[in-house]
Amino acid sequence: MPASSSAGALPLYICLAGPTASGKTAAALAIARAHPVEIISVDSALVYRGMDIGTAKPGAAELASVPHHLINIRDPLHAYSAAEFVHHAQTLISQIAARNRLPLLVGGTMLYFKALFDGIDPMPAAQPALRAAIEAEAQQKGWPAMHAELAQVDPVTAARLAPADSQRIQRALEVYRASGLPLSHFHARSATTARSTVPLISLEPLDRAWLHARIAQRFDAMLAAGFIDEVRALRARGDLHAELPSMRCVGYRQAWEALDGLWGMDSLRERGVAATRQLAKRQITWLRAMPQRQVVDCQADNASAQVLRAVEALMVGDARA
């Protein structure tokens, strides 16, 4: 059964998306100050405990100011899937609405949004032996060559992945080799379960350079706040490794590799900022494929106020329906 099979029965919920460093948290808190909402995090990194600095996780005061969900729910040793997110989000949306509060979904993991809107078909479970074989091939050929192979069998997925995005390339090839079907087949929109009219407000920059500057400032702030020490503490546990989805998160991967000595620590900032820029580019590409989105310029001084007005208009429209 597609993960969103019950989505049609869900009450009103509003989504606030945008690339990293676009101001989603500030806008969400502005909404929470004006209306009774509960925030559902749509972020594949915020689910992990002990990963606070490198994920720009909301602080204690922010978390206390409004109920938040799907933050700090998983140990970094264990993966969290889009299917799990959909199940948790659908349950929370119904529970929050039953409390006469507005479910506000906020984040930048676009695959989670798409899975919730359009549904995801069951796909092959992870197969460690097949994954190891792909990893061994990549060690010989390099991930750009594996990306080229993926482009031959699944051009749709390959087009949205960077040639060095080893985690996603590996999974896409694993799915294809296990099933004979491309990953894009499983992510394809289902005409019977799609709910593409879900309200989606998207914070996007008119000038990409503005976002790049924000990304650099945020990464500098993370480093100053002790990001390297946070990664050292995670490594010191002894049960985590670089191939886990948690440790492949942007920033953590680059810090782990630096601590492994794969390149100098003085390169961490440059590599971390570059990887975050690539993430933001992919996030914007995903958003542009969501036709129902209502764009707010995140560079505007009153961006949060614009988002609040958009939310209020959607709430009024739903009340009149």
Side-chain angles (χ1 to χ4, degrees):
M1 178 184 297
S4 67
S5 58
S6 63
L10 291 175
L12 171 72
Y13 64 96
I14 293 176
C15 299
L16 174 60
T20 184
S22 59
K24 297 183 294 295
T25 297
L29 293 176
I31 297 167
R33 286 191 292 270
H35 298 282
V37 306
E38 294 187 29
I39 295 172
I40 300 174
S41 171
V42 189
D43 191 301
S44 60
L46 294 188
V47 299
Y48 295 115
R49 294 186 290 271
M51 296 172 57
D52 303 330
I53 298 172
T55 60
K57 191 173 290 180
E62 293 170 326
L63 292 173
S65 67
V66 57
H68 284 71
H69 303 276
L70 303 188
I71 294 178
N72 294 329
I73 63 168
R74 187 64 50 95
D75 186 88
L77 185 61
H78 305 293
Y80 186 74
S81 70
E84 287 180 287
F85 167 78
V86 171
H87 171 71
H88 290 154
Q90 288 178 348
T91 301
L92 286 164
I93 287 167
S94 297
Q95 292 174 343
I96 292 167
R99 294 192 283 269
N100 293 317
R101 301 173 73 89
L102 175 68
L104 179 63
L105 281 73
V106 182
T109 300
M110 305 310 167
L111 175 61
Y112 287 6
F113 278 120
K114 180 173 173 58
L116 182 62
F117 297 161
D118 298 347
I120 50 177
D121 293 329
M123 65 178 67
Q127 300 190 27
L130 185 54
R131 182 167 296 183
I134 295 170
E135 181 75 28
E137 280 186 52
Q139 293 298 319
Q140 291 184 340
K141 301 177 182 178
W143 284 109
M146 303 303 285
H147 181 267
E149 177 183 330
L150 178 63
Q152 295 297 315
V153 299
D154 188 356
V156 174
T157 299
R160 65 177 178 80
L161 299 183
D165 192 349
S166 58
Q167 180 184 7
R168 292 177 177 83
I169 295 169
Q170 184 183 58
R171 177 57 178 157
L173 286 172
E174 178 187 350
V175 168
Y176 178 77
R177 293 183 184 183
S179 67
L181 295 170
L183 182 64
S184 54
H185 165 83
F186 296 99
H187 287 170
R189 177 173 175 163
S190 169
T192 60
T193 62
R195 196 167 182 244
S196 60
T197 56
V198 172
L200 173 65
I201 301 167
S202 180
L203 280 164
E204 300 176 31
L206 294 179
D207 179 6
R208 198 72 62 89
W210 178 89
L211 185 64
H212 289 175
R214 292 257 301 185
I215 287 170
Q217 291 166 6
R218 173 180 281 190
F219 203 84
D220 286 340
M222 289 175 180
L223 290 173
F227 176 47
I228 295 298
D229 289 335
E230 179 176 81
V231 179
R232 284 195 178 103
L234 291 165
R235 287 164 62 93
R237 286 179 34 161
D239 59 345
L240 303 179
H241 57 82
E243 298 308 314
L244 288 169
S246 58
M247 294 302 103
R248 287 180 176 237
C249 291
V250 167
Y252 289 88
R253 179 176 182 174
Q254 288 72 35
W256 192 287
E257 291 174 347
L259 291 169
D260 271 345
L262 297 184
W263 33 265
M265 188 63 72
D266 57 350
S267 300
L268 174 57
R269 180 188 184 276
E270 178 184 354
R271 289 174 180 266
V273 169
T276 309
R277 287 183 178 182
Q278 287 298 314
L279 169 63
K281 181 179 180 181
R282 293 194 299 271
Q283 290 170 316
I284 292 171
T285 298
W286 275 89
L287 282 166
R288 288 175 175 170
M290 296 180 180
Q292 82 273 30
R293 85 192 198 285
Q294 179 179 340
V295 177
V296 172
D297 177 14
C298 59
Q299 296 174 236
D301 292 337
N302 65 340
S304 292
Q306 289 186 49
V307 170
L308 176 58
R309 286 197 295 271
V311 167
E312 290 173 341
L314 290 167
M315 293 170 67
V316 169
D318 183 72
R320 290 174 178 171

